[in-house]
Each structure stands twice: as structure tokens, then as C-alpha cells.
Amino acid sequence: MKIDIVTIFPKMVEGPLAEGIVGRAIARGVLDVRVHDLRESTTDKHRVVDDIPFGGGPGMVLKPEPLFRAVERIRAERGEPSAVILTSPDGKPFSHADAERLSRLPHLVILCGRYEGVDERVRSLATEEISIGDYVLSGGELPALVITDAVARMVPGVVGDQASVTGDTFAHGLLDFPQYTRPADFRGMAVPPVLLSGHHQEIERWRRNQALARTLSRRPDLLESAELDARDRAVLDELEKTAPGSEEPG
Ligand code: SAH
């Protein structure tokens, strides 16, 4: 999968991309990520990327020309992208479903805004606009990294054990179950005995119950679209009756 990120601060993006799971995927060639300095798509001597807003007001706005040229260069050098994503606080809120959908596309371009944002005409370059949450950041670099990381995890071969991705929080519309590692007793806090039992079926059932209970108490809104079978529904009914708000289904 190819990802091209356009930014005025390439170093802000390159550092995090070199580490961890994404860093390894790039090193192994599973992901082909390029970071483009927006200033390289300017034509003037001072490599100006921003200008004052028409109509007045505070701050600067990213000019349309360098962003258009950057995308044209990517088209010429890297081929036609499947999606051009503009990061923007007024974009569509990013979700697990978006990460999954984008992970099936062969080539993404992500544009990072700065200052007061981008010239409105830049929106016509984008096939979609994405917000990573209801807060304003000073630039699109962190959103580009968030999108890249979440999408990359879903690309087969990026995370070593694909089962760890398919079981993640949100993958089935439920939050993840609690995890424990050694020691079995830490400062008087014991690991639930079932996890030490070696009974795979019981462990699976316990984990499913925990995921259901945790989702019911923390994010009941997710249950409306979760994939639930008859047993799940019975567990939830029982939980709602016996211990509303509790995370311990026993
Ligand atoms: N004046 C703009 C904010 C610009 S913030 C407004 O009120 O909408 C500058 C840049 O940071 C944006 O162009 C965008 O690329 C990025 N950005 C800031 N917050 C973001 C968010 N929550 N999600 C995605 N991108 C964001």
C-alpha cells in the first residue's frame, strides 16, 4: 500500500513513522510511505506556502497553488491515488470503519493543513475530509499519523499476528476484554483464576462476557451496531437485570 503525506513539517511525520509496527512495515516494504515537503511544490524564490486571508482576520492560510502542485507531482511520480484525504476539524469524524475501508485502497494521499487552515479551493482536490476528533490541533501532521497508523494496522502483514487486529476494541463493535500478564499475583491483585485454568472454551466465554460487560457499562451506544448472537444477548439481558453499570459478569 502506498501513502503520500504532504506537509510543511516533514520531520514531524518522519520520526514517528520510523518507529514500531508502522516503522517495521515500511522497512519490510509492506507499506510504501513518502513524506513530501510542501515547500518543494512552490515556484517562487522564498518558497512561500501561506498568505493572509482575503477579507481580513487573524492568522495565515495555506495557498492553493503549492497543494495543487504537490498532488499533481504525486500523480505523475506515484500514480493516480485512490483517495485524497484532507485533514480538517470540520471533516467526517474518523472511525474504525474508515480505517478498514481505507486499508483496502492501494494508494492514499493525506494533506496536512496549518495555520487557519487551507484555502477553500483546496477542498476540491480532496475526495474526502477527515477529522480525528472534536478539538483543534495546530496542524494536520498528528491527524495524518493517526490515520496512517490506524489504517496500516488493518493492512494484512503489517501487524505480525492478524488475530490481534481482528480482536481489537471496535473490530466487532465491542470494547476489548481485560488483559493480564505475569505475575499471577501482583501486590495482592490476583489474575482471574479462569485465565490460569487452561480451559480454552471457558476462557473464550469469560473474555466475551467481559467484553460485553465492559461495553455495556462504558459504551452502551456501541451495542446497537455490534455483532451479537443469541448467547450475547442473553448475557446482556442478565447483566442489565442483575448489575447495571457493573463490569464483573462473574
Ligand atoms: N481554523 C480552522 C482550524 C485550522 S487548524 C477551523 O476552525 O476549522 C489547522 C490545520 O490542522 C487544519 O487545516 C487541519 O489540517 C489540522 N487539524 C486541526 N484539528 C484537526 C482535527 N481535529 N482533525 C483533523 N485535522 C485537524
Side-chain angles (χ1 to χ4, degrees), residues 87-89 112-117 130-133 135-140 143:
T87 55
S88 185
C112 305
R114 272 274 153 185
Y115 314 117
E116 293 303 312
I130 292 181
S131 163
I132 64 158
Y135 38 80
V136 177
L137 298 159
S138 42

Side-chain angles (χ1 to χ4, degrees), residues 11 63 94 104 178 207 250:
K11 277 191 282 200
K63 290 155 65 70
F94 188 57
R104 288 192 287 268
R207 287 180 162 169

Side-chain angles (χ1 to χ4, degrees), residues 20-235:
I21 281 174
V22 172
R24 234 174 311 136
I26 293 172
R28 284 187 291 124
V30 180
L31 286 180
D32 172 3
V33 183
R34 293 240 192 116
V35 183
H36 305 264
D37 185 345
L38 183 62
R39 290 189 198 281
E40 277 165 19
S41 292
T42 55
T43 48
D44 60 309
K45 192 168 107 211
H46 299 288
R47 311 213 299 168
V48 176
V49 292
D50 58 330
D51 206 339
I52 54 172
F54 274 123
M60 301 297 276
V61 174
L62 284 184
K63 290 155 65 70
E65 173 91 15
L67 282 160
F68 272 78
R69 288 176 61 93
V71 172
E72 282 153 13
R73 274 176 74 165
I74 290 167
R75 270 204 185 95
E77 288 166 19
R78 305 263 286 162
E80 185 64 29
S82 350
V84 178
I85 299 163
L86 176 66
T87 55
S88 185
D90 57 17
K92 178 180 178 286
F94 188 57
S95 69
H96 184 78
D98 292 309
E100 252 179 349
R101 173 177 58 82
L102 295 172
S103 76
R104 288 192 287 268
L105 302 179
H107 185 188
L108 309 180
V109 171
I110 309 178
L111 307 176
C112 305
R114 272 274 153 185
Y115 314 117
E116 293 303 312
V118 299
D119 183 288
E120 188 68 16
R121 291 162 290 188
V122 171
R123 293 187 198 256
S124 69
L125 261 182
T127 57
E128 56 191 286
E129 301 179 23
I130 292 181
S131 163
I132 64 158
D134 288 347
Y135 38 80
V136 177
L137 298 159
S138 42
E141 288 74 16
L142 293 170
L145 287 167
V146 166
I147 295 166
T148 300
D149 191 288
V151 168
R153 290 176 62 75
M154 311 301 302
V155 173
V158 168
V159 174
D161 183 352
Q162 201 60 21
S164 101
V165 171
T166 51
D168 273 341
T169 286
F170 302 128
H172 298 292
L174 295 181
L175 302 181
D176 208 355
F177 51 79
Q179 298 279 10
Y180 294 87
T181 185
R182 285 177 285 192
D185 191 310
F186 174 68
R187 300 191 181 178
M189 293 179 276
V191 169
V194 62
L195 297 179
L196 312 175
S197 68
H199 290 129
H200 283 292
Q201 265 186 338
E202 273 177 42
I203 292 170
E204 282 313 304
R205 202 173 314 145
W206 180 85
R207 287 180 162 169
R208 185 74 185 173
N209 289 355
Q210 290 286 327
L212 289 164
R214 184 162 278 190
T215 309
L216 180 65
S217 79
R218 297 189 182 190
R219 292 292 306 277
D221 57 299
L222 294 176
L223 291 171
E224 276 156 42
S225 49
E227 298 164 26
L228 304 173
D229 61 17
R231 200 194 77 86
D232 294 335
R233 287 182 205 286
V235 169

